Amino acid sequence: LQIEELLKEVTLKETKKKKIDAFLHEINSLLSAIPETPETELTDQAWLPEGVKVPFLQVPFSVKGRFRFLSPAELKVVGSYLLGTCIKPEINVDVAVTMPREIFQDKDNLNQRYHRKRALYLAHIAQHFSKEKLFGSVKFAYMNSNHLKPILLLRPQGSKDEKMVTVRLHACPALGLFKPSRFYPSKNNVRTAWFMEQSTPKEGAPEPPTPHYNNSILCDTVLLSHLHFLSSAAADFPGMKDGLALLKVWLNQRQLSKGLGCFSGFLVSMLVAYLLMKRKIVKMMSGYQVLRSTLQFLATTDLSVMGISLAKDVDASLPVLDDFHQAFEVVFVDPSGLVNLCADMTASKYHQVQFEAKRSMEILDDRTVDGFQVLLMTTKPMLRAFDHVFHLKHVSKLQGTCKKMQLLNELMDRGGNYVAAALPFVVSLLARGLAGRALLVTHSLPQISEWPIDAEPPKHKDVGPLTFGLLFVPEFAASTLEKGPQADHPEALDFRTFWGEKSELRRFQDGSICEAVVWQADTVCQKRLIPEQIVRHLLKLHMDIPESSICYTGALLESVIRTGQEASGTGEEAMVSVVCSYDDLSRKLWNLKGLPLTVTAVQGVHPALRYTDVFPPIPMKPIYSFHTRIRTKHLLLPSEEKPCPAYIAPLKIVCHMEGSGQWPQDKEAIKRIKAAFHLQLAELLQQQHQLVCRPAVTHTDVYKDGYVFRLQVAYHREPLILKEVVTPEGMLKYQDTEESRQLELETLHLPYLTSSLHGLQQQHPVFGSTCRLAKRWVSAQLLSDNISEECVDLLVAFLFLHPAPFTPPSSPQVGFLRFLDLLATFDWKNNPLIVNLNAGLTDADLTEIKNKFVAARSRLPIMFIATPKDQWSSMWTQERPSAQILQRLLVLASESLRALEEQLMDPLNSQDVKMVFRPPLDFYDVLIHLNPNQIPRHLESVDRPLKSFSRGVVKNSTAVKILFPVVDYDPVQCYLQELRVSMALWGGIGGYLPKGELPSGVQVISCLPLQDLVGCPAQPLFSTQDAFSDLALFFYDKHGGEVIAVLWKPLSFQPQPFKVASMKGRMVTTLNNELVCIPNVEAILEDFEVLGEGLVKSIEARTEKWTI
């Protein structure tokens, strides 16, 4: 069904065809009316009027031969239009205009004479057509961006019709004009002396073959025979038409069907005809079967090694496949046995087609994937398909390459096109240098757009930057060693010439002495960029391409997850050391002596323990002089005079205790027992392992290796006991309560998620860094409070577990781009996102989840994520994001993706990729600017602050005897909590507090840690439901943001009837003689300032945005 819908969408309607046919008739009658011209020398082009330039690069200019214009001998429509396999969005109708035999002389096959006559012929037509009212535009273009083959583009008048169709005029020679044997791949038709502009040829120098040049002339002679060949294949075969439409869509989505050496629609039509001839396809097949059989053939056949031919009866005089393989990289010979249809294609491009076909076959055979959506509806731009992408900024540098590699013969063959001449050599050089690291090294197709007829034809350098894509083998991409052959082997010399001075003799552990190249890289993020070092080194060494011409965009985004002034990598090493410290602590907990019950399991919960913490904790030791000390308790507190101390995150760990009959069955009693365990754990860790601990009722904090771990004891039956409810009849029944849900989340689900994702990181080394980029972006958009970290981790896990149509990401940047794309394009309303962790869901489960989801859609969260252990409740997205926030996220994601891809694909502009990490603030109503010295994570901000504050800690992981540092203290978070909560204090005050009469516990915000603050007498008044949250939403970037953005809720400004109870933050006014309440904005803003004294620098109200 989906395929039928797609075909309806891309095929031409009958009414359009009628219009197009009428247009073609008019072109025909106009062509025959074009006047003839007198004969002149080819180089004398004065007869062409001012308004038209010859669409051909005439280098060298002087050439023998004479030209005159005579009316075309005939005009025939060729190509996909007549076969009915033309597909939208671009409808091209190809028309062959046969030039009469009289305008040719007998040596026109030499030195571009034929090509120049062809160009002059088209120029004369263009000049006459440009005066006609019939055409909306008359332009030139290069056929498939090949400089030797200009064509004329005609579009009808009228803005709507002009988009409807493009008629492409191809000039071709009269039948039998040239002897085919002159154009065999081994023959020469361009003389060196002419091309080099020397007066006499060198004595005895043999002329090189010019296969590409020969092929370009032969193509023109077979246009009509190809049409007849294809129409006989398509006769009574409706599936062919549909199959070709699907294959063309498949090629378009992969950017393979346009440019020099592309896999064009014509090529794929000839391939289907070949499979029909070989009985791999039969005329009974449907479009889908044609698609499958063709992809299967492409996946299993390498045309760069074993070419194929459509020629039926083998004439002994015709060239054989080996002759073609000598001259071309990819071979597919047409029915005449003369033309190679893949002449311009590089082997690397064909391998990319082959790779895509293999991947597509895997997807079609995978029942869990919607193959149609993934293969035909998903675009694969280079940036999202390849792990690293780099650009050759100035293709003119390839002229130097041609000199260095001595590619004169190739240049003659390609009419001076140095890009086409050098490209195959560049790609094969890179493929050799990256062998073992890269599955695929590929390049963008050089493309030249059309141009007006009065402009000079585009030069070779006008193809713009060339882009290369690398797809890695994750295990070997980052290896620092390139091991070569043994020193005394003959291949060693070859290895040395290839790697240049980088190659050196090394002795290996097995005693062998080999040539080897060792790349310098200390951190994980530098190792990921070893391919960049290889690319730059090889292109400089062998191709004379300077480093400044290469713009490597593989890892530009990683700068936003770096901390610290020194380039210390992107935190992977820090993450590993946290995990080691945690492993050691869990071993110590297992083996503690003297506990009444043993520890049965220790499970990490904090994101750093699954490698996805945006900025992993760094080992720290407090500097006492920066703090206030409480000697009696061995505690440190933040000092009021000094900047706020560095943020130390407690790394949460759950300790499961064994079950026993001794555990009480009452929830309050269990809490007391747990508190006793916390005290005892602290005591034993201090005695047996000399660790500094600080017990509390709900947890024990342990300072170890410079990190603070927060241990929380769990008892497996506690959630069940919390669910107990006694009915009025005295029956005991179980039902979920908020408390039991929260406890299950913390002690069961979160540890399971953390260990699953920890496992995923072991399989895919860039998973953690991708998560960190994604979370950094969400936080930079000020939305981190509105979407849980676990939710982002799962979205990223989805990209690694279900990457179709791509391969799993092997660089954080490509993972992040796909994350933005997933957010922006996934259909959240109609589909659940199923993340199959540890392959825990069967096909049946997947179907069941989808069906249940559809049935219960209205009751489910707006963003529904299912995992094997959480199939129905989508627990990580239950509360947040709300529909409005999700909508905002989608808009931001698609805008960020667009902006980023534009920047990364445009190497000539500045590459300030941090732009998408700077949130647009004009959307908000009030901005609260904060004082940087009270922002503990100030250094984590996207744009590194110029001035940083000493935060009272030193990096140190060996300290043992210390006073306990201040943990989990972030004044901004405390302030946000206050803002969201403190309205409750204002119930009776009418929303206006004189300064200095704050309820106790509010003013001390800038110097007390949160646990002490919440324990203050005002506690019963706090209740999160009635906060400012009635009136406003608060947004903040927790990674060092300097601004809290406030958005008034739209309903809060509607006047409400006067009630004493609902006077929070409102003032009374009269409206139509009734007393109503409206928000007292001035008072509220003043209170924002009073509450944040010492933290708030200024408040900027965007009054023009709201009216009361």
Side-chain angles (χ1 to χ4, degrees), residues 820-1013:
L820 292 179
D821 182 56
L822 173 71
L823 262 186
T825 57
F826 190 80
D827 182 359
W828 296 104
K829 191 170 161 211
N830 302 314
N831 289 312
L833 186 85
I834 304 174
V835 185
N836 198 353
L837 293 168
N838 309 335
L841 296 167
T842 60
D843 289 359
D845 293 338
L846 298 175
T847 320
E848 192 187 356
I849 291 176
K850 285 177 186 154
N851 295 342
K852 282 200 179 175
F853 170 84
V854 173
R857 182 62 190 114
S858 53
R859 298 192 299 284
L860 296 172
I862 182 84
M863 188 183 215
F864 186 88
I865 300 181
T867 59
K869 285 271 198 290
D870 166 32
Q871 297 181 20
W872 313 120
S873 65
S874 184
M875 61 180 69
W876 309 111
T877 59
Q878 282 267 300
E879 310 292 321
R880 53 204 181 147
S882 62
Q884 294 86 339
I885 294 289
L886 182 62
Q887 187 50 43
R888 172 102 181 124
L889 252 180
L890 305 191
V891 172
L892 287 167
S894 69
E895 273 306 294
S896 301
L897 183 65
R898 191 190 53 73
L900 256 182
E901 295 200 328
E902 214 169 273
Q903 283 177 319
L904 294 174
M905 281 313 279
D906 182 9
L908 301 170
N909 272 345
S910 72
Q911 306 264 323
D912 182 14
V913 290
K914 286 188 174 180
M915 193 174 84
V916 302
F917 287 83
R918 298 187 190 109
L921 292 175
D922 41 9
F923 173 72
Y924 300 99
D925 296 322
V926 180
L927 299 180
I928 304 177
H929 296 279
L930 306 173
N931 184 351
N933 70 359
Q934 290 300 333
I935 304 175
R937 303 189 234 188
H938 192 222
L939 279 178
E940 294 176 5
S941 58
V942 173
D943 295 297
R944 183 80 13 92
L946 298 172
K947 172 175 167 220
S948 60
F949 301 91
S950 167
R951 298 260 171 220
V953 288
V954 284
K955 281 189 188 168
N956 184 335
S957 56
T958 50
V960 188
K961 288 260 182 268
I962 61 154
L963 293 181
F964 212 85
V966 177
V967 180
D968 198 16
Y969 170 54
D970 183 344
V972 189
Q973 293 298 337
C974 304
Y975 177 56
L976 278 166
Q977 176 136 349
E978 288 272 308
L979 288 177
R980 291 180 179 139
V981 167
S982 57
M983 263 310 224
L985 301 170
W986 298 13
I989 311 176
Y992 191 75
L993 289 168
K995 282 206 175 134
E997 286 186 23
L998 279 175
S1000 58
V1002 176
Q1003 190 127 37
V1004 287
I1005 180 128
S1006 51
C1007 63
L1008 274 182
L1010 188 60
Q1011 39 289 32
D1012 301 352
L1013 180 74

Side-chain angles (χ1 to χ4, degrees), residues 7 10-11 80 83-87 230 233-234 237-252 263-273 281 286-288 290-291 294 376:
L7 289 170
V10 297
T11 44
S80 59
L83 299 172
T85 55
C86 227
I87 66 159
L230 282 175
F237 183 6
M240 176 163 175
K241 195 172 130 183
D242 296 350
L244 283 177
L246 295 175
L247 281 161
K248 285 179 181 181
V249 171
W250 183 83
L251 288 164
N252 286 341
F263 206 102
S264 62
F266 167 66
L267 194 53
V268 90
S269 314
M270 292 302 256
L271 183 61
V272 171
I281 285 179
S286 69
Y288 173 70
V290 171
L291 172 76
T294 311
L376 299 173

Side-chain angles (χ1 to χ4, degrees), residues 42 63-67 100-118 173 177-178 182-183 189 213 217:
L42 254 182
V63 69
K64 292 182 183 156
R66 303 175 68 74
F67 176 78
R101 176 178 288 261
E102 295 80 47
I103 68 172
F104 293 104
Q105 285 114 339
D106 53 356
K107 281 197 172 175
D108 280 348
N109 56 311
L110 293 178
N111 299 353
Q112 302 182 359
R113 292 182 205 175
Y114 163 75
H115 291 94
R116 299 195 184 187
K117 286 191 174 177
R118 204 178 154 278
L177 174 69
F178 294 122
R182 283 184 178 174
F183 298 109
N189 280 301
Y213 174 93
I217 297 182

Side-chain angles (χ1 to χ4, degrees), residues 659-681:
S660 131
Q662 305 290 308
W663 278 98
Q665 299 303 306
D666 169 74
K667 55 183 184 186
E668 287 309 316
I670 291 179
K671 283 181 187 158
R672 306 276 162 91
I673 298 279
K674 277 164 59 180
F677 268 120
H678 290 135
L679 284 164
Q680 189 157 21
L681 279 173

Side-chain angles (χ1 to χ4, degrees), residues 796-816:
V796 175
F798 177 82
L799 300 171
F800 284 84
L801 294 167
H802 313 280
F806 304 101
T807 47
S810 291
S811 78
Q813 180 163 300
V814 80
F816 175 65

Side-chain angles (χ1 to χ4, degrees), residues 495-563:
F495 186 86
R496 279 200 298 277
T497 14
F498 185 74
W499 289 107
E501 78 280 5
K502 291 265 185 210
S503 174
E504 51 195 32
L505 281 177
R506 292 216 161 206
R507 187 178 185 138
F508 288 88
Q509 282 175 338
D510 58 0
S512 62
I513 296 177
C514 296
E515 288 288 341
V517 179
V518 178
W519 300 100
Q520 274 307 302
D522 306 326
T523 59
V524 174
C525 77
Q526 286 167 343
K527 283 186 184 149
R528 279 201 294 266
L529 283 174
I530 287 178
E532 173 177 11
Q533 294 187 40
I534 294 177
V535 166
R536 289 181 182 278
H537 171 68
L538 289 176
L539 289 181
K540 180 93 188 72
L541 179 67
H542 295 288
M543 300 275 171
D544 259 355
I545 295 174
E547 297 217 353
S548 56
S549 293
I550 297 169
C551 169
Y552 202 95
T553 58
L556 286 179
L557 283 174
E558 293 178 27
S559 58
V560 296
I561 50 174
R562 282 206 181 115
T563 51

